[in-house]
């Protein structure tokens, strides 16, 4: 069982729900080390003070905030622990909202919420009430040295919490919008809709894998064993798209063919 990363309570009106938080995700990536290319020796970094030039052990390193006038304010662990902030040990419910009202761009990280001790019954109460009303709890919480908005919602019999970015942390994407002078025809939109319908289906994440990570693992194993990788066939060059309707029509046919082949393989 993983270790909890935070322990506190949900403030649900006058009801207090003691909870523990567990990280709900983990990135599965290949970890590389920085090495000397000629002999494979690992590259190590030293923490050196720019004033006295001495290497500083980790326990002696503190966090500093540089003021506009150049002065450095040193903050210790106690300063963070004793912040005059109610949300350091509490998940404060500030509003209830429908889940589809929150743009997914705001979501940052997901946590499992586990009832702690006497919090089981009020935990179940909040979970069931959210399910019946179709609402989610918008909360404020302090995690990892910062306060964040978060969305608490029921999922698979438990409560999960998605921490969120603040509005001023989201960049404007106006620069990426196509010029208003560009337009498409009704026929092109219709064919695009046909392509979307041909590939529509239920979301089944277990059907997808990280092909890039798998390819990297093959390369690592190949170099470790001294066996050369088989030559890759050159990918066909994509033709320049001149007629969008014709390209989409061909895409629809290809999508239908792939879906038919996939169904045949599943039943066979």
């Amino acid at each position: 069982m993983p270790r909890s990363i935070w322990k506190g309570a949900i403030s649900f009106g006058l009801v207090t729900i003691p909870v523990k938080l567990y990280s709900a995700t983990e990135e599965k990536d290949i970890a590389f080390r920085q090495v000397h290319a000629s002999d494979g020796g690992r590259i190590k970094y030293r923490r050196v003070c720019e004033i006295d030039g001495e290497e500083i052990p980790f326990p002696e390193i503190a966090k500093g905030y540089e003021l506009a006038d150049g002065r450095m304010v040193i903050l210790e662990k106690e300063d963070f622990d004793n912040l005059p902030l109610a949300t350091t040990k509490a998940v404060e419910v500030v509003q209830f909202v429908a889940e589809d009202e929150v743009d997914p761009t705001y979501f940052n990280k997901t946590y499992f919420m586990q009832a702690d001790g006497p919090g089981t019954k009020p935990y179940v109460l909040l979970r069931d009430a959210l399910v019946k009303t179709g609402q989610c709890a918008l909360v404020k919480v302090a995690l990892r040295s910062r306060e964040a908005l978060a969305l608490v919602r029921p999922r698979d019999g438990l409560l999960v919490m998605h921490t969120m970015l603040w509005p001023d942390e989201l960049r404007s994407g106006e620069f990426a919008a196509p010029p208003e002078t560009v337009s498409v025809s009704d026929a092109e939109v219709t064919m695009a809709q046909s392509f979307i319908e041909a590939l529509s289906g239920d979301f089944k994440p277990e059907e997808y894998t990280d092909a890039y990570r798998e390819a990297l693992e093959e390369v690592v194993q190949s170099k470790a064993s001294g066996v050369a990788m088989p030559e890759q066939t050159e990918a066909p060059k994509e033709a320049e798209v001149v007629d969008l309707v014709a390209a989409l029509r061909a895409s629809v046919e290809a999508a239908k063919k792939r879906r038919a082949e996939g169904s045949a393989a599943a039943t066979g």
Side-chain angles (χ1 to χ4, degrees), residues 1-49:
M1 180 176 175
R3 294 178 58 186
S4 64
I5 59 97
W6 186 90
K7 185 176 181 179
I10 303 175
S11 297
F12 176 41
L14 297 178
V15 177
T16 299
I17 312 172
V19 293
K20 295 178 180 179
L21 287 188
Y22 299 84
S23 181
T25 60
E26 58 178 338
E27 293 189 7
K28 296 290 185 71
D29 202 356
I30 295 179
F32 292 100
R33 300 191 183 279
Q34 290 188 318
V35 298
H36 188 193
S38 62
D39 56 21
R42 288 180 57 183
I43 306 299
K44 295 186 177 181
Y45 293 91
R46 300 170 59 216
R47 301 179 179 89
V48 178
C49 175

Side-chain angles (χ1 to χ4, degrees), residues 99 123 126-137 151-162:
E99 185 177 351
Y123 179 104
L126 177 59
R127 181 199 66 190
D128 291 356
L130 291 176
V131 170
K132 288 184 180 299
T133 59
Q135 296 284 292
C136 299
L151 196 72
V152 174
R153 69 183 182 92
R155 195 196 77 182
D156 298 334
L158 72 154
L159 294 174
V160 295
M161 185 176 78
H162 306 282

Side-chain angles (χ1 to χ4, degrees), residues 28-29 203-218:
K28 296 290 185 71
D29 202 356
F203 177 50
K204 299 178 180 178
E206 65 276 3
E207 294 182 355
Y208 304 94
T209 58
D210 185 348
Y212 184 82
R213 174 158 53 101
E214 292 171 353
L216 269 181
E217 289 172 344
E218 287 186 33

Side-chain angles (χ1 to χ4, degrees), residues 229-260:
M229 289 280 291
E231 291 188 9
Q232 299 292 320
T233 57
E234 186 175 348
K237 295 181 179 180
E238 295 184 2
E240 182 181 356
V241 177
V242 178
D243 187 339
L244 279 177
V245 173
L248 285 168
R249 184 177 292 111
S251 300
V252 170
E253 294 303 319
K256 289 179 178 178
K257 182 178 179 181
R258 287 199 306 271
R259 173 159 289 185

Side-chain angles (χ1 to χ4, degrees), residues 33-186:
R33 300 191 183 279
Q34 290 188 318
V35 298
H36 188 193
S38 62
D39 56 21
R42 288 180 57 183
I43 306 299
K44 295 186 177 181
Y45 293 91
R46 300 170 59 216
R47 301 179 179 89
V48 178
C49 175
E50 65 176 4
I51 295 178
D52 57 26
E54 293 186 8
E55 185 173 358
I56 310 301
F58 189 78
E60 295 182 19
I61 297 177
K63 292 185 177 181
Y65 184 88
E66 187 172 2
L67 300 175
D69 59 8
R71 289 180 297 161
M72 189 70 69
V73 178
I74 308 299
L75 297 177
E76 306 292 343
K77 179 179 181 300
E78 294 74 17
D79 296 316
F80 293 99
D81 292 340
N82 299 323
L83 283 174
L85 192 66
T87 54
T88 54
K89 288 298 179 183
V91 178
E92 178 190 357
V93 177
V94 295
Q95 189 179 356
F96 292 96
V97 298
E99 185 177 351
D100 58 8
E101 288 187 24
V102 181
D103 188 325
T105 309
Y106 280 98
F107 292 152
N108 187 12
K109 190 168 176 56
T110 302
Y111 298 90
F112 296 132
M113 305 188 86
Q114 181 188 45
D116 188 22
T120 302
K121 186 168 183 177
Y123 179 104
V124 172
L125 171 63
L126 177 59
R127 181 199 66 190
D128 291 356
L130 291 176
V131 170
K132 288 184 180 299
T133 59
Q135 296 284 292
C136 299
L138 186 65
V139 305
K140 291 179 72 176
V141 60
L143 287 175
R144 304 189 185 280
S145 302
R146 60 171 293 173
E147 186 180 56
L149 281 175
L151 196 72
V152 174
R153 69 183 182 92
R155 195 196 77 182
D156 298 334
L158 72 154
L159 294 174
V160 295
M161 185 176 78
H162 306 282
T163 53
M164 298 164 59
L165 301 170
W166 294 103
D168 60 359
E169 294 179 312
L170 268 59
R171 295 174 176 171
S172 171
E174 292 180 358
F175 70 93
E180 294 183 0
T181 54
V182 177
S183 61
V184 293
S185 68
D186 291 342

